[in-house]
Amino acid sequence: MIALTLTEVASAIGGELHLRGADTPDTVVRGTVDTDSRNIGPGDVFVAKPGETTDGHLFVSVAADAGAAAAVVERVVTEASVSQIVVPDVVTALADLARAVVARVRAHGDLRIVGITGSNGKTTTKNMLARILSDEGETVAPRASFNNEVGAPLTMLRVDDHTRFLVSEFGASGPGAIAHLAGLVEPDISVVLMVGMAHAGGFGGIEATRAAKSELIEATRRGGTAVLNADDPRVAGMASIAAERGMSVRWFGRGASADVRADDVEVTADGTRCTAVVDGVPHALHLRVLGEHHVMNALAALATATVLGVAPDAAIGRLEELQLAERWRMEPLGSERVRIINDAYNASPDSMSAALRTLAQITGPDERTVAVLGAMSELGEWDGEEHDRVGLLAVRLGIQRIVVVGAAARRMFLEAISQGSWDGEAVFFPDADEAYDYLTGELRDGDRVLVKSSNAAGLRFLGDRLGEFFS
């Protein structure tokens, strides 16, 4: 965070300052801001956020002992020897502080801000873009999937006077969430990847999801740039919102009309090769990140980077250095003997389909495809039919072993075994431990194994265990 006095911090968040020790209103703080006391070090600011299982106020003294310069609280913790700023709501205060800090940096620097949203691919695209931009200047981007009401402001608060690029990832817990988060910084460039069924249950359908994602365009600075998926009609329709705001549009996609597109895509076990055509000029691109679906994420990153003045050849060279999109996202584990692909951090109908297709594409004729599948979350009334579709797709792709884990995913198993013409095998296990016992005895040399589920299903840990067992 930039250097601010305690008075300036209190003013930015509308809080009441309670001083401790030798501190004065003019004491300067410039450390990291965090809601986890375990991450606090000397000079940092601790935000005592109440949670579902515990309360950050219980750890204010721990943060003080670790050297915190200040704590943002909803009530004074009298026993803690650290200056405290009392606010009605610490999450609101966190957003207010992020808004104030970014505005100050922007006012006297050349900070450029990119906002990214979409039903799938946000984190991968963010990582790709951050890798490209990091060689151009100091770049701040979210750790993991810091894209909610807490994670997004914490990322914003990492900017300082030397930051040239801020890449923000925006998730949506419901209508208005993206408008709120993006409104804190008003991005110069907004990137919308796709509108799919992820979280459709929470929004009330795919059209409501489209409206939520379009909030990012509406929150972008007038005269900025919208980077839009030309292949997704719901995203392409957001060009009219951009036009109303005097924004230019940069298109990415697989079709010939896109400003940045991919031709001759070839998927293999060591990544994906294609020709990236940027404004009519072809460039060879070899992505080491597994999965054809990541080509679209790379195109979005390329389109955005070129808006920011990065030469296409330089951007492509940096993309080719990435070997992993993110932990638990198409992460290769195991060995050449038994290859485990752990993609169980998140799952939606679209990402399930993409992962299964990748498994089929990268498996050779003398190898066996095995899909270990768990539930997809937040699908609401579409939950049953979407799980049915995944089971059917796995069969139609010729996946040779389907292992379904957890009661919430059982319909995948039932749909798979209902396909009488299929000559493979589907099995069901109520929990990951039983699935692990089965798989460690069932898997054999030449197997290519996809582990895929939503985060809540917890199969990412099963994937890790299998990766270690077969390493």
Side-chain angles (χ1 to χ4, degrees), residues 52-282:
E52 294 181 3
T53 58
T54 189
D55 185 344
H57 292 80
L58 300 174
F59 301 93
V60 174
S61 291
V62 174
D65 292 343
V72 179
V73 298
E74 293 177 4
R75 60 182 184 274
V76 174
V77 179
T78 55
E79 66 271 21
S81 58
V82 62
S83 293
Q84 298 167 50
I85 303 172
V86 182
V87 295
D89 185 292
V90 296
V91 174
T92 299
L94 191 62
D96 290 340
L97 185 59
R99 180 190 292 110
V101 166
V102 172
R104 284 202 183 201
V105 173
R106 205 174 206 170
H108 58 78
D110 59 353
L111 178 66
R112 302 295 301 280
I113 301 175
V114 178
I116 300 173
T117 196
S119 298
N120 297 111
K122 295 184 293 295
T123 299
T124 299
T125 304
K126 171 263 296 183
N127 287 341
M128 288 177 166
L129 182 59
R131 174 62 196 92
I132 294 171
L133 296 178
S134 61
D135 282 0
E136 300 292 318
E138 186 174 304
T139 301
V140 170
R143 299 189 298 269
S145 294
F146 270 35
N147 60 22
N148 62 11
E149 63 180 357
V150 174
L154 287 178
T155 299
M156 296 167 188
L157 285 165
R158 287 166 48 209
V159 305
D160 60 28
D161 295 326
H162 305 290
T163 305
R164 186 173 174 191
F165 303 106
L166 168 62
V167 181
S168 286
E169 176 185 339
F170 298 122
S173 57
I178 292 176
H180 166 65
L181 294 175
L184 300 178
V185 293
E186 295 185 338
D188 301 289
I189 301 172
S190 53
V191 184
V192 185
L193 300 170
M194 65 172 296
V195 174
M197 288 297 293
H199 315 301
F203 288 103
I206 198 165
E207 287 305 318
T209 303
R210 178 204 58 77
K213 302 304 180 186
S214 69
E215 291 171 9
L216 178 56
I217 310 296
E218 295 166 348
T220 303
R221 280 193 163 191
R222 291 189 173 275
T225 302
V227 177
L228 301 178
N229 182 347
D231 299 347
D232 186 328
R234 292 184 175 87
V235 176
M238 297 177 193
S240 61
I241 302 174
E244 292 171 0
R245 298 185 59 78
M247 300 166 60
S248 60
V249 175
R250 182 106 164 122
W251 298 101
F252 69 93
R254 299 287 289 272
S257 64
D259 301 308
V260 180
R261 72 175 194 272
D263 291 339
D264 306 319
V265 177
E266 178 187 4
V267 181
T268 67
D270 68 344
T272 305
R273 288 177 169 81
C274 67
T275 299
V277 183
V278 183
D279 299 316
V281 180

Side-chain angles (χ1 to χ4, degrees), residues 323-360:
Q323 298 188 39
L324 181 66
E326 182 71 60
R327 181 87 162 94
W328 296 312
R329 288 175 172 86
M330 299 303 285
E331 181 179 7
L333 300 171
S335 63
E336 283 305 311
R337 186 171 66 85
V338 177
R339 173 63 68 197
I340 310 296
I341 303 169
N342 194 352
D343 192 32
Y345 186 82
N346 218 333
S348 68
D350 295 302
S351 68
M352 273 282 193
S353 174
L356 285 168
R357 292 181 190 281
T358 296
L359 176 64

Side-chain angles (χ1 to χ4, degrees), residues 388-459:
D388 288 348
R389 290 179 195 272
V390 171
L392 178 59
L393 177 62
V395 171
R396 289 184 172 174
L397 289 172
I399 304 302
Q400 292 156 285
R401 290 290 183 272
I402 299 173
V403 180
V404 178
V405 185
R410 186 177 175 84
R411 285 186 63 157
M412 293 183 192
F413 164 71
L414 295 175
E415 182 64 26
I417 62 174
S418 73
Q419 303 301 310
S421 61
W422 180 51
D423 62 359
E425 180 183 347
V427 293
F428 171 79
F429 297 98
D431 60 56
D433 287 338
E434 291 188 38
Y436 176 80
D437 291 340
Y438 167 79
L439 288 162
T440 51
E442 167 67 18
L443 297 179
R444 65 194 190 204
D445 288 4
D447 283 353
R448 298 296 176 254
V449 185
L450 170 71
V451 182
K452 179 69 174 172
S453 74
S454 283
N455 195 9
L459 295 199

